[in-house]
Amino acid sequence: MYLDKAKKAELFETYGHGATDTGSVESQVALFSFRIKHLTEHLKENHKDHNTARSLTMLVGKRRKLLTYLKKQDIERYRALIKALGLRR
């Protein structure tokens, strides 16, 4: 399994405010980014998997909405998160 409890806790610890902080914008964006990376690699090998392609598109949209929200609320947190995750926005 590519995403177990330990990996989630590690992501939340690194980008959120603790291992149990599952609701902050930073931790959610980090989790979505990890899943997007995994699905992108899957689609490189299985290009005809349309369900996964749709799921990937939906995840990218969710991440974009959260990043837009964070940008409106606190531009410094937004910039720090973009830099930490290495996103191209």
Side-chain angles (χ1 to χ4, degrees):
M1 190 168 171
Y2 79 99
L3 188 61
D4 55 352
K5 287 183 181 183
K7 183 62 180 174
K8 278 187 185 181
E10 178 187 329
L11 284 171
F12 295 149
E13 181 72 36
T14 305
Y15 297 103
H17 303 293
T20 59
D21 178 30
T22 60
S24 71
V25 176
E26 291 93 344
S27 59
Q28 288 295 309
V29 169
L31 181 64
F32 288 162
S33 296
F34 181 81
R35 290 175 62 195
I36 286 169
K37 241 182 264 182
H38 176 76
L39 290 179
T40 302
E41 292 302 317
H42 172 77
L43 280 175
K44 285 180 182 176
E45 296 175 7
N46 305 292
H47 62 279
K48 290 186 178 183
D49 189 354
H50 299 295
N51 274 342
T52 302
R54 182 172 187 272
S55 298
L56 176 63
T57 305
M58 288 170 43
L59 267 178
V60 169
K62 283 183 183 182
R63 182 177 73 179
R64 182 175 180 193
K65 287 177 191 174
L66 281 174
L67 286 172
T68 303
Y69 167 78
L70 185 61
K71 188 176 181 180
K72 288 179 184 177
Q73 296 298 316
D74 190 357
I75 191 73
E76 295 305 319
R77 282 173 52 199
Y78 168 79
R79 288 180 181 151
L81 182 62
I82 293 298
K83 188 175 183 180
L85 290 173
L87 299 178
R88 295 184 305 174
R89 274 186 64 123

